[in-house]
Amino acid sequence: MTYEQIRMDEAIKTYITQADASLGALGFTEHSFAHVGKVADIAGYIMQTLGYSERTVELAKIAGYMHDIGNLVNRIEHSQSGAVMAFRILDNMGFSPEEISLIVTAIGNHDEGTGVPVNALAAALILADKSDVRRSRVRCKDKEKFDIHDRVNYSVTKSELKINEAHTIVKLKLSVDTHFSSVMDFFEIFMNRMILCRQAAQALGLQFKLIINEQQMV
């Protein structure tokens, strides 16, 4: 089974759609196909750049695409419920226990509340997920009704995660329009995410650097 087959699976599409609908009802930012597709691409990029096997790159993309399906159950502990859902789906599709173990472990450890970069796949998923900050994730159209999460995401006009040529540093570079949100707002809601990113980078043998408007913050 390939990432493309997972991406085209109608049942998984339904779970992602309904999970995002639940988060929309709760006032969260977009967690639909744009988000999971971007996370899959970045997770795959990290594994490929660091020289992991082609199959490991595929598994990273699959984990990225499926990582938020647990929001269908509840936002609370969605990484754990998503891991259980992924186990059943992948088992029924005929994935090997070894591959299921890697994907499920990554999904179950991607959230900053309980997640730990226990292996390379989990570390890549953490970095990919937490780096997806962008204006187009904001659902609310009325800027007067923005909460702090809306303001911070809306203020980010460009985000990019890159590993340097020496494979020693991973940089998250953000362009922030401070008319909508201050840098302090970013740290107020994302500090725990950035700490987890630093831990994930270390698990991959990298240093994590956060650059906002060309200034190094972490």
Side-chain angles (χ1 to χ4, degrees):
M1 292 292 291
T2 65
Y3 166 61
E4 188 62 23
Q5 289 173 295
I6 293 293
R7 196 176 68 84
M8 299 305 295
D9 185 87
E10 291 300 327
I12 296 174
K13 286 182 182 179
T14 298
Y15 300 148
I16 292 171
T17 298
Q18 294 304 316
D20 181 60
S22 295
L23 291 184
L26 294 171
F28 284 87
T29 53
E30 178 266 327
H31 284 70
S32 190
F33 298 104
H35 173 61
V36 300
K38 186 176 180 68
V39 171
D41 288 344
I42 296 173
Y45 156 78
I46 292 169
M47 292 286 92
Q48 185 175 47
T49 302
L50 294 179
Y52 286 84
S53 70
E54 183 177 337
R55 186 56 182 169
T56 303
V57 173
E58 283 281 292
L59 297 182
K61 289 182 176 181
I62 291 169
Y65 189 75
M66 297 179 70
H67 79 281
D68 268 342
I69 58 174
N71 286 304
L72 179 68
V73 179
N74 198 293
R75 178 61 178 174
I76 298 171
E77 297 182 352
H78 73 282
S79 56
Q80 283 78 29
S81 54
V84 173
M85 289 177 65
F87 174 87
R88 181 179 181 276
I89 294 166
L90 298 173
D91 187 44
N92 287 341
M93 286 182 167
F95 278 76
S96 70
E98 291 80 9
E99 291 189 343
I100 292 173
S101 297
L102 288 171
I103 295 168
V104 166
T105 296
I107 293 173
N109 278 282
H110 82 268
D111 187 61
E112 63 271 18
T114 55
V116 179
V118 292
N119 59 31
L121 209 67
L125 178 54
I126 287 167
L127 286 165
D129 182 40
K130 306 315 172 193
S131 64
D132 186 21
V133 186
R134 54 187 160 82
R135 177 169 291 185
S136 55
R137 294 193 70 182
V138 177
R139 302 178 197 265
C140 181
K141 304 303 180 184
D142 186 351
K143 298 182 182 66
E144 297 298 321
K145 296 180 180 179
F146 278 2
D147 64 14
I148 188 170
H149 289 84
D150 293 329
R151 292 199 309 273
V152 169
N153 278 277
Y154 193 84
S155 71
V156 178
T157 58
K158 184 179 180 181
S159 63
E160 183 180 45
L161 187 88
K162 288 293 182 183
I163 297 171
N164 67 345
E165 291 186 6
H167 297 172
T168 57
I169 297 170
V170 57
K171 292 182 180 180
L172 174 58
K173 297 183 69 175
L174 303 178
S175 297
V176 174
D177 184 343
T178 54
H179 288 95
F180 295 100
S181 177
S182 70
V183 173
M184 285 302 298
D185 285 340
F186 177 90
F187 280 106
E188 181 179 341
I189 63 171
F190 287 156
M191 177 60 81
N192 289 338
R193 299 185 189 185
M194 295 302 99
I195 291 172
L196 187 56
C197 281
R198 183 170 62 188
Q199 294 170 349
Q202 290 171 346
L204 293 167
L206 304 169
Q207 285 184 293
F208 176 72
K209 295 188 182 298
L210 173 65
I211 313 294
I212 299 180
N213 293 346
E214 302 301 327
Q215 298 293 317
Q216 183 175 322
M217 301 295 173
V218 176

